[in-house]
Every structure is written in structure tokens, then in C-alpha cells.
Amino acid sequence: MDGQSSKHGFIKSMKDQDIYLEPVAEHKYTIIWMHGLGDSANGFLSFFYSANPVVPNNVNFLIILLLVQNTKVILLNAPFAPVTINGGEKMNSWYDILSLGKDKRVDENTIQKSTTRVLRVLKEEVKKLNEDPSKVFIGGFSQGCCMALNVALSYENIIGGVVGLSGLVFQHMLDIIENDNENTFLDKKKNLKIFAYHGKDDQVIQEGNALKTYERLRNSGFEKLTYIAEEFLEHSVSPTEVNKIKEFLSQVMV
């Protein structure tokens, strides 16, 4: 790692294009975060690397600081790759999008490749946290949200929780879950905590389409799924949304 700097209770460094925020105090939790299409790891840096981060906080600033210092944050950067719907133009993308609209199709090969990479990071963090997957959390926005859900559902153990913003669950993952005759997902259905948030005026990933995927997940038996749709919110993050994320993390980071 290089380019280290210390601020807000973290030691910030880079590993390739990924940003690592190492806690100054004892490492108790890890949050792995993924950005949206065309963005970068820097896109959500201020979410965590600020005086008022999205990690759990209380009124007492000393408590805020302590919690920030105990949480490691990894902001991953997507591969620079061609995106079919953008005429093959290269950009940071977790997976290729082949078509939009009613016939929306995504490339499962690139999804699997990115999933494998993120799972590798997740497993490294679990190992560093005394083999306790409940201390690792994953989240993302848009493409990053879809990936976060896919990674959490693909991982063999149950992580601490998922934060999914302005995204949805992949069709192929829903098909796997709904045809799970061996009850592979039974423990996840009872224990995996998922927080999903979407804007009702989102024109990139329409809220109705996202809701359908979460309803299928809930109807498949996922008991700890929270879904919130905000009026007038487009494909972005609102102050209300940030507060709801903080509430969720304060409940699951115990």
C-alpha cells in the first residue's frame, strides 16, 4: 500500500485503485463498499472519511470517534472495461450491461468474475476478524448494490449485513434461490440482514423493477429484509437515506 495519510480516526492508503481506511484503534468491523457504473472508489469516500461518517454514531462525539476508529472501510474500484449499452466504451464497471428496458440483460460471466474478486477480499477480512463473518458488512450503490447483494448471497457464510442503494437482485440469483430444493439458503433466509433503499423517481433503475426483485427475495423466505422507497428521490443518495443507513448499521454492528 502507498500514499498513507491519517485523518478522521483512519489511516488512509491505496492498494492499486482501491482505497483502504484502516482504523487507528482496534479493528472490530469491516465495511466493503462498491460504487456505481462509471464512478470510482473515490465516489463514496466522503461517506466514510469525514467528520460525520455513515458508520454508526451517537450524540457524544467521543463515541463517534471511537466507532470510526474501530471500523475498517474498503472502497473497491471496479475494472476498467467495455460496456455494451454505451457502445463498447470503456469505463469502471463491475459487469457488462448488454441491453436495457424490458429486455434488460447483464453478462453473468463478468458478474461472476467480479463476485470472485470481492469474495476474496471478504474472506481476507473475515480471517483478520478471528474468522467471524458477522463482523464484515458489504454495500454499494447502483451496480455496486447489485454486486453487494450477489456477493452476500453467494458467500457460504452469513455476514453482518448488506446495504443496498438504488440497485436490485440479479435475476439469475433469484432463480437459484427459488429453485433451492436442498435448502442451501435456509440459514441466510433466517439471519442475513439486508437494508435496501431506492428512490421512487429513479429513472436509471426504476423503483418498481427493484421492488419486484426484493419482493421475490422476501417471498422466498428472507425474514430480515428492510426495503424503503423515498418519494421524489432519483438515482442518488439523500440525507434521509444516509440517516436510515446509520440507523441500520447501529443495529447490526454489535
Side-chain angles (χ1 to χ4, degrees):
M1 294 195 187
D2 51 24
Q4 290 191 349
S5 61
S6 182
K7 194 176 180 182
H8 304 305
F10 290 113
I11 297 174
K12 176 176 173 284
S13 61
M14 301 288 296
K15 183 177 180 181
D16 296 325
Q17 298 299 312
D18 303 330
I19 299 173
Y20 280 69
L21 303 177
E22 300 277 356
V24 174
E26 181 186 0
H27 177 201
K28 291 187 177 180
Y29 307 99
T30 295
I31 296 176
I32 300 169
W33 192 267
M34 287 170 285
H35 60 77
L37 177 66
D39 200 356
S40 72
N42 277 294
F44 276 82
L45 180 59
S46 62
F47 232 48
F48 306 96
Y49 197 57
S50 70
N52 186 27
V54 75
V55 291
N57 63 71
N58 294 290
V59 176
N60 188 319
F61 181 75
L62 291 177
I63 296 177
I64 296 174
L65 183 60
L66 178 61
L67 286 169
V68 170
Q69 290 174 327
N70 285 336
T71 303
K72 177 179 180 179
V73 180
I74 302 175
L75 298 154
L76 295 177
N77 203 90
F80 190 65
V83 178
T84 300
I85 61 164
N86 290 338
E89 180 183 352
K90 284 189 173 183
M91 60 187 66
N92 290 340
S93 176
W94 294 106
Y95 53 89
D96 191 14
I97 303 173
L98 304 175
S99 63
L100 293 175
K102 292 182 179 179
D103 185 36
K104 181 176 181 180
R105 292 182 298 121
V106 293
D107 178 44
E108 292 185 25
N109 289 329
T110 48
I111 290 172
Q112 186 54 51
K113 187 175 180 179
S114 288
T115 297
T116 299
R117 173 194 165 194
V118 180
L119 280 171
R120 184 166 58 249
V121 176
L122 189 158
K123 291 174 182 178
E124 289 172 356
E125 291 307 306
V126 170
K127 187 175 181 179
K128 292 174 182 178
L129 288 164
N130 298 315
E131 301 291 348
D132 186 352
S134 72
K135 300 300 182 184
V136 179
F137 302 81
I138 191 166
F141 175 81
S142 194
Q143 260 204 353
C145 166
C146 302
M147 284 301 306
L149 289 160
N150 201 63
V151 170
L153 293 168
S154 300
Y155 181 48
E156 61 264 29
N157 296 312
I158 301 168
I159 62 171
V162 186
V163 176
L165 312 181
S166 302
L168 45 71
V169 188
F170 290 128
Q171 175 71 43
H172 68 270
M173 177 56 73
L174 288 168
D175 290 343
I176 291 171
I177 292 170
E178 290 172 346
N179 292 285
D180 177 29
N181 297 322
E182 297 180 359
N183 292 321
T184 306
F185 292 89
L186 185 60
D187 287 343
K188 281 194 178 77
K189 289 178 179 180
K190 292 183 177 180
N191 299 300
L192 180 61
K193 304 174 185 71
I194 301 173
F195 175 87
Y197 203 102
H198 215 99
K200 287 196 172 183
D201 286 350
D202 191 328
Q203 296 302 310
V204 177
I205 299 178
Q206 293 189 357
E207 190 268 332
N209 293 335
L211 177 58
K212 288 177 183 176
T213 69
Y214 291 116
E215 286 179 336
R216 286 178 63 183
L217 207 59
R218 184 178 283 122
N219 291 338
S220 294
F222 281 79
E223 301 175 3
K224 298 187 177 181
L225 166 62
T226 299
Y227 179 83
I228 300 174
E230 182 177 332
E231 294 281 356
F232 311 116
L233 179 64
E234 298 181 356
H235 198 64
S236 60
V237 179
S238 73
T240 300
E241 185 172 2
V242 171
N243 288 332
K244 292 294 184 182
I245 296 167
K246 290 179 180 180
E247 289 177 14
F248 172 75
L249 290 176
S250 68
Q251 293 168 4
V252 297
M253 295 178 77
V254 294

